[in-house]
Amino acid sequence: MTVLSLVIFLPLAAALVLAVFPGIKDRAARWVWVVVAAADTALVAGMWAAYEQPPDGGLAFEEQVTWIPSVGSSYHIGADGLSLPLLALTVVVFLACSIYALREQNRPRAQAALFLFLQTSCLGVFAAQDLILFFLFFDLSIVGMYFVIAGWGHGNAARSALKFFLYTFLGSLALLLGFIGLYLYSEPRTFDMVELARLAPLNESPVAGAVILGAVLLGLAIKTPTFPFHTWLPPAHTDAPAIGSAVLAGILLKMGTYGFVRIAMPMLPAAWRDWAWVIIVVGVISVLYGALVALAQTDLKRMIAYTSVNHMGYVVLAVGAAGVAGGSDAAAREVAVTGALTQMVSHGLITAALFLLAGVLKDRAGTYDMDSYGGLARPAPRFALLFAVGAFASLGLPGFSGFIAEFQIFAGSIGTVPWVAVALPGILITAALFLLAVQRLLTGEVRGQSAQVSDLRTTELLSIGTLLCLSILIGVAPRVLLDLIEPASAAVVVLVGR
């Protein structure tokens, strides 16, 4: 067993222990989750430190074992500059959630087991190098999040969980159809992702390639989510527990955008180039629509949810632009893809922190309505500080990871497709909505529910503060991340340009 298999299945083993031994006390279960999440984080940090760029676009920490040989499917995992940053993001967000939940009183043992199971499914998606294995982990993540929302949510949690499941499961079925199409057109037939990226089996079949890309894009677009496939997202976030929203926005949404660069672009390059303009238009609409609808919200959680549509729109715009120019402007296209990958990590850190902060308000005063608060800087100065930092990080202020990501996205995309500059007002609208949120919640006299809001506890400060500090680290010293991402981005651009 490689270290990567250990990283993936250690949380699942701990989840099984918590499920099988009901005598484990609640307090012990909480700490089991923290210790296992911390151990996984340490293992991934070790992988990052030991990582060396594999030659010829290969994989590090690779493991392949025969699984379903009759259809050319194997247990094939590995990591590279596309997946390792998202593996790191996953373990960090889950560790932050485990610390945040140390005071959880509602069935903490079951919650810890469920989140450990969910962590394994998320890690498996980013490590999988076989389409069937990818699909297995992808579907398990949907099941895990369904039970998180239904079991620990509030408001109309059952309805929101069902809507989430039906939408995303429909997307996974479309994804499965696309995977079967890739398998049927490959020669020899295989589900191996490395082989399919090398073969690009549908390059000479434009009609079939367009149909299969459409199925893959539908599945990934629902998961991302992009306009108009986003309608499941606001209710799911509004009714999910804070740590559920943090994982949903921070990790699960990235499965869609990761699928673009891992599956759709390298395996279906000709179809991607043919449909790149459509993908760019969807990205531009998502950027502007997500920002405008977020601006109209008075519910803090719904506002943050719609900013995810906006921020994921930047990723869609960038990967679409990377397919337009064909063999030209390779440098600009590489910058766009690098920005897209950086945005995945940046959004995961910042939005997870913002959802945890929203959870603090719900825990203290029972509402997300921003008009019910005011002057929070006085009774809760630590909350106010972290919320202001999170807001400025999310609007793309220099010094934060969001600025690095969005600058690269627009520099690369405009360098390839100049008219995508029409999406730039999305940044201005996002700045306006976060500044209004800061004004509504933090400034002025103490009013409404603010008097009931006590300041951040140590566990909350540690979990949220760590996520935001990592965003600052990337913003100030981006080479830590870019040295890993840039060679992988160059490889994707070469593959999509074939």
Side-chain angles (χ1 to χ4, degrees), residues 14-70:
L16 291 174
V17 169
L18 292 177
V20 170
F21 297 101
I24 297 175
K25 301 297 184 184
D26 287 345
R27 178 179 173 80
R30 296 189 200 103
W31 280 104
V32 166
W33 183 13
V34 172
V35 169
V36 171
D40 237 19
T41 303
L43 287 170
V44 173
M47 290 171 58
W48 191 302
Y51 180 80
E52 295 181 2
Q53 182 63 36
D56 302 322
L59 297 167
F61 314 106
E62 188 173 13
E63 182 177 355
Q64 188 167 13
V65 179
T66 300
W67 184 30
I68 315 175
S70 59

Side-chain angles (χ1 to χ4, degrees), residues 275-323:
W275 291 91
W277 292 105
V278 176
I279 296 165
I280 290 173
V281 169
V282 170
V284 170
I285 293 172
S286 297
V287 167
L288 297 175
Y289 171 85
L292 286 169
V293 178
L295 181 63
Q297 302 303 310
T298 58
D299 183 292
L300 177 61
K301 240 189 170 190
R302 289 181 74 87
M303 184 200 81
I304 300 169
Y306 277 110
T307 63
S308 291
V309 178
N310 164 267
H311 284 92
M312 292 297 95
Y314 293 133
V315 177
V316 176
L317 185 156
V319 295

Side-chain angles (χ1 to χ4, degrees), residues 280-498:
I280 290 173
V281 169
V282 170
V284 170
I285 293 172
S286 297
V287 167
L288 297 175
Y289 171 85
L292 286 169
V293 178
L295 181 63
Q297 302 303 310
T298 58
D299 183 292
L300 177 61
K301 240 189 170 190
R302 289 181 74 87
M303 184 200 81
I304 300 169
Y306 277 110
T307 63
S308 291
V309 178
N310 164 267
H311 284 92
M312 292 297 95
Y314 293 133
V315 177
V316 176
L317 185 156
V319 295
V324 166
S328 63
D329 297 320
R333 295 160 66 221
E334 288 175 18
V335 171
V337 175
T338 299
L341 291 163
T342 306
Q343 176 74 339
M344 294 182 210
V345 176
S346 172
H347 176 267
L349 295 171
I350 297 166
T351 306
L354 287 171
F355 274 123
L356 294 179
L357 285 165
V360 171
L361 294 184
K362 180 70 173 178
D363 176 66
R364 306 292 200 273
T367 181
Y368 298 119
D369 180 30
M370 289 188 282
D371 293 332
S372 297
Y373 301 95
L376 276 170
R378 186 170 298 175
R382 291 189 292 187
F383 174 91
L385 174 62
L386 290 191
F387 185 85
V389 170
F392 286 121
S394 191
L395 63 84
L397 195 72
F400 295 97
S401 57
F403 172 77
I404 302 297
E406 291 170 19
F407 175 80
Q408 290 179 311
I409 286 170
F410 279 105
S413 299
I414 293 173
T416 303
V417 186
W419 67 262
V420 302
V422 298
L424 281 169
I427 297 176
L428 181 63
I429 300 168
T430 304
L433 69 90
F434 273 111
L435 291 174
L436 284 172
V438 167
Q439 188 179 54
R440 282 173 167 174
L441 292 171
L442 308 182
T443 63
E445 296 297 319
V446 177
R447 61 185 183 276
Q449 301 295 324
S450 294
Q452 302 181 35
V453 179
S454 57
D455 210 354
L456 296 180
R457 304 180 181 108
T458 302
T459 52
E460 296 163 342
L461 182 64
L462 181 60
S463 58
I464 299 166
T466 299
L467 296 173
L468 294 176
C469 284
L470 288 172
S471 175
I472 295 171
L473 174 64
I474 295 170
V476 174
R479 297 311 313 173
V480 174
L481 181 61
L482 298 182
D483 284 343
L484 189 64
I485 289 176
E486 285 174 349
S489 299
V492 170
V493 168
V494 169
L495 291 172
V496 84
R498 288 176 293 175

